[in-house]
């Protein structure tokens, strides 16, 4: 008997992506906790944010050090519509190139409530060091202090500002213009790609990076895909992300979730997806990629991490797949830029 293997081209096998990775299973058996596990007194949200920020700032410093001085980091403030500013980190090659590079903009995750620009330092330093990109890790104001649609408008305003100031930053958008995000950041990117298309952003985006994205509300699935949308229920009590932890107040993103599947397609750009097989968000990423590729002729590339949970590279960085994920991210961004190595 030939055992079935999981394939993105065969939705009936998607559930097999959830078969827990042996190395991760061993880590759990051995009591290896998530990097964010905390056994002290309960922390307030500001204290939790401060703890995460310190952790990721240390990571970013180590990543910069690992470039051996080839990549620099600059903190900038970008103005948004209500007079506030949002923080961003800009990564450039330290040697001045003869030609300006493409622009890569990435939004961090953190469930809309936690996170900072340093979280995407790995992707940004990688894109800068490998392809000469001007890479921007972009923040947005967090919930619950800032209700919907503040995070989305912050990201949109910053996207416009960066596109208009690209040359001053050292970028040439004709060389490539990539917009992406991880988890909550990818959730923000999705509708803004649609908005960029409808409002005729010039020059247009050339690539979209979506990592472990929440992309579809169950009520907005078409009949074609309802039977394929199984992971939210099957993995609701899984690792890292659960149905309880994903149940944000409706003001956080309910208006964005009201968009239909077709509303978020943009066949004018290439899409790179990273999907975790043991993630309750798995099927919405696979469905979205399938819709783009089969029904809209979109150019897509997908990497699925079999048997691994949501953002495993953050929660269990000692897992061997973390290095694979890092390499995949840089290669995927290179594919979006048309600059594979």
């Amino acid at each position: 008997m030939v055992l079935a293997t999981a394939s993105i081209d065969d939705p009936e096998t998607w559930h097999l992506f959830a078969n827990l990775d042996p190395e991760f299973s061993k880590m759990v058996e051995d009591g290896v906790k998530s990097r964010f596990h905390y056994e002290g007194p309960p922390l307030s949200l500001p204290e939790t944010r401060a703890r995460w920020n310190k952790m990721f700032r240390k990571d970013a410093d180590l990543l910069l050090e690992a470039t051996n001085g080839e990549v620099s980091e600059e903190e900038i403030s970008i103005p948004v519509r209500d007079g506030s500013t949002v923080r961003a980190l800009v990564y450039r090659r330290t040697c001045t190139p003869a030609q300006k590079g493409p622009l890569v903009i990435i939004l961090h995750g953190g469930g809309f409530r936690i996170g900072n620009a340093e979280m995407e330092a790995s992707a940004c330093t990688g894109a800068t060091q490998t392809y000469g990109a001007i890479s921007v890790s972009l923040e947005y104001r967090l919930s619950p202090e800032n209700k919907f649609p503040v995070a989305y408008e912050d990201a949109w305003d910053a996207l416009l500002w960066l596109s208009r100031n690209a040359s001053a930053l050292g970028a040439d958008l004709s060389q490539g213009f990539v917009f992406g995000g991880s988890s909550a950041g990818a959730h923000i990117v999705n509708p803004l790609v649609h908005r960029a298309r409808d409002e005729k952003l010039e020059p247009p985006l050339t690539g979209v990076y979506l990592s472990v994205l929440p992309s579809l509300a169950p009520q907005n699935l078409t009949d074609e895909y309802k039977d394929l949308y199984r992971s939210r229920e099957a993995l609701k009590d899984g690792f890292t992300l659960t149905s309880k932890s994903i149940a944000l107040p409706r003001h956080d993103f309910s208006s964005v979730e009201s968009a239909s599947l077709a509303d978020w397609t943009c066949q004018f750009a290439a899409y790179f997806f990273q999907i975790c097989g043991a993630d309750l968000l798995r099927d919405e990423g696979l469905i979205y990629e399938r819709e783009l590729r089969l029904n809209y002729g979109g150019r897509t590339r997908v990497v699925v991490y079999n048997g691994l949970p949501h953002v495993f590279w953050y929660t269990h960085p000692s897992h061997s797949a973390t290095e694979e994920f890092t390499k995949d991210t840089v290669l995927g961004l290179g594919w979006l830029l048309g600059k594979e190595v």
Side-chain angles (χ1 to χ4, degrees):
M1 182 178 68
V2 178
L3 296 177
T5 56
S7 169
I8 64 168
D9 295 315
D10 183 1
E12 293 303 320
T13 69
W14 287 355
H15 66 285
L16 298 175
F17 283 127
N19 292 339
L20 211 57
D21 170 78
E23 182 183 343
F24 186 80
S25 293
K26 185 65 165 56
M27 293 176 77
V28 173
E29 290 172 7
D30 291 345
V32 177
K33 302 294 185 182
S34 164
R35 186 187 186 196
F36 305 115
H37 181 73
Y38 177 72
E39 295 185 346
L43 297 177
S44 66
L45 182 57
E47 288 171 331
T48 301
R49 287 174 179 167
R51 183 170 176 266
W52 278 44
N53 291 350
K54 182 179 179 180
M55 191 182 303
F56 285 113
R57 181 63 257 172
K58 183 178 180 180
D59 288 352
D61 289 338
L62 291 173
L63 286 163
L64 285 168
E65 182 180 339
T67 70
N68 296 314
E70 292 182 9
V71 176
S72 68
E73 177 193 271
E74 179 189 6
E75 180 175 328
I76 65 171
S77 296
I78 299 175
V80 294
R81 65 189 59 198
D82 65 359
S84 298
T85 60
V86 291
R87 177 177 178 262
L89 297 176
V90 181
Y91 295 86
R92 304 180 182 89
R93 280 184 176 169
T94 51
C95 60
T96 304
Q99 186 180 31
K100 291 183 176 181
L103 181 64
V104 173
I105 305 168
I106 303 179
L107 275 68
H108 65 82
F112 295 92
R113 299 183 179 193
I114 295 173
N116 63 2
E118 282 83 354
M119 290 178 71
E120 295 299 334
S122 177
C124 289
T125 56
T128 296
Q129 187 172 27
T130 309
Y131 309 111
I134 305 301
S135 301
V136 180
S137 187
L138 179 64
E139 293 187 0
Y140 45 89
R141 284 175 286 178
L142 300 172
S143 174
E145 303 95 317
N146 301 284
K147 304 294 189 286
F148 176 88
V150 171
Y152 298 86
E153 299 297 0
D154 281 352
W156 175 252
D157 291 348
L159 176 64
L160 293 179
W161 187 92
L162 288 164
S163 69
R164 292 164 183 165
N165 292 274
S167 181
L169 293 172
D172 175 3
L173 300 188
S174 69
Q175 302 296 314
F177 188 8
V178 171
F179 188 38
S182 298
S183 194
H187 195 287
I188 294 172
V189 166
N190 241 351
L192 296 189
V193 170
H194 169 70
R195 184 171 178 177
R197 179 195 63 185
D198 289 352
E199 298 192 16
K200 296 181 172 55
L201 178 68
E202 284 294 334
L205 297 169
T206 59
V208 181
Y209 167 50
L210 300 173
S211 180
V212 292
L213 73 159
S215 61
L216 298 169
Q219 67 269 23
N220 295 324
L221 286 169
T222 61
D223 291 340
E224 179 182 3
Y225 289 110
K226 282 182 179 177
D227 290 341
L228 305 182
Y229 193 71
R230 302 164 183 158
S231 60
R232 275 219 186 188
E233 177 62 26
L235 299 169
K236 65 181 181 180
D237 298 319
F239 298 94
T240 308
L241 198 66
T242 66
S243 58
K244 182 178 180 180
S245 66
I246 203 173
L248 294 176
R250 302 314 301 162
H251 66 250
D252 281 328
F253 50 76
S254 58
S255 297
V256 174
E257 283 194 336
S258 68
S260 69
L261 181 61
D263 281 341
W264 287 352
T265 56
C266 180
Q267 58 268 45
F268 307 113
Y271 282 74
F272 171 52
F273 291 82
Q274 288 171 305
I275 296 169
C276 290
D279 182 356
L280 65 83
L281 302 177
R282 180 196 68 221
D283 289 349
E284 49 203 274
L286 291 170
I287 287 169
Y288 187 55
E289 185 276 335
R290 187 175 176 84
E291 176 79 359
L292 283 169
R293 175 166 47 89
L294 298 183
N295 294 336
Y296 286 84
R299 294 193 301 120
T300 65
R301 177 173 287 191
V302 186
V303 180
V304 179
Y305 301 94
N306 294 342
L308 290 170
H310 191 75
V311 299
F312 67 87
W313 56 94
Y314 288 144
T315 62
H316 294 79
S318 63
H319 191 288
S320 61
T322 297
E323 183 177 353
E324 176 187 348
F325 171 85
T326 301
K327 292 178 179 177
D328 290 338
T329 303
V330 175
L331 289 173
L333 291 171
W335 178 74
L336 291 175
L337 294 169
K339 295 188 175 187
E340 290 181 281
V341 294

